[in-house]
């Protein structure tokens, strides 16, 4: 089904527009990524929508769009610790990129974001 993890993952993998000319920081809200959500309170619906979109992209291993979505959620609520945590997680090395130079170069930014998230969540 369209709301299942398998459904939205298949849609992503079968080209639900992910190869189109969308810049990393130019991510728009999408309605075709399923309904996976992360339990959190948000200052506005837009913050929650962008956070959950980042979570969906992260779950589909699309780290650049995940990071961009988390950054958009931060714009709506600069005090949202989980929004910074999400971007830190997206920028950090993953199983498929732990030794790539670009992933390793993002580690300092990910660490700074993680520290900011920890301070906001404390």
């Amino acid at each position: 089904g369209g709301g299942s993890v398998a459904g939205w993952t298949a849609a992503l993998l079968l080209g639900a527009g992910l190869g189109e000319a969308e810049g990393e920081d130019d991510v728009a809200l999408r309605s075709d990524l399923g309904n996976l959500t992360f339990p959190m309170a948000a200052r506005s619906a837009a913050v929650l929508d962008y956070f959950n979109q980042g979570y969906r992209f992260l779950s589909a291993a699309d780290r650049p769009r995940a990071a961009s979505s988390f950054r958009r959620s931060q714009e709506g609520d600069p005090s949202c610790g989980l929004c910074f945590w999400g971007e830190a997680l997206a920028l950090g090395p993953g199983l498929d990129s732990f030794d790539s130079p670009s992933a390793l170069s993002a580690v300092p930014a990910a660490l700074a974001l993680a520290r900011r998230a920890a301070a906001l969540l404390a």
Side-chain angles (χ1 to χ4, degrees), residues 42-95:
R43 196 174 270 182
S44 72
V47 170
L48 186 60
D49 290 344
Y50 273 108
F51 180 89
N52 280 324
Q53 176 171 284
Y55 186 57
R56 291 176 193 131
F57 276 132
L58 189 60
S59 297
D62 189 340
R63 291 173 171 271
R65 286 195 176 90
S68 182
S69 295
F70 288 127
R71 275 193 297 277
R72 291 291 297 268
S73 68
Q74 295 162 23
E75 291 171 11
D77 184 359
S79 67
C80 175
L82 284 175
C83 299
F84 288 94
W85 167 84
E87 185 182 2
L89 188 61
L91 290 178
L95 292 176

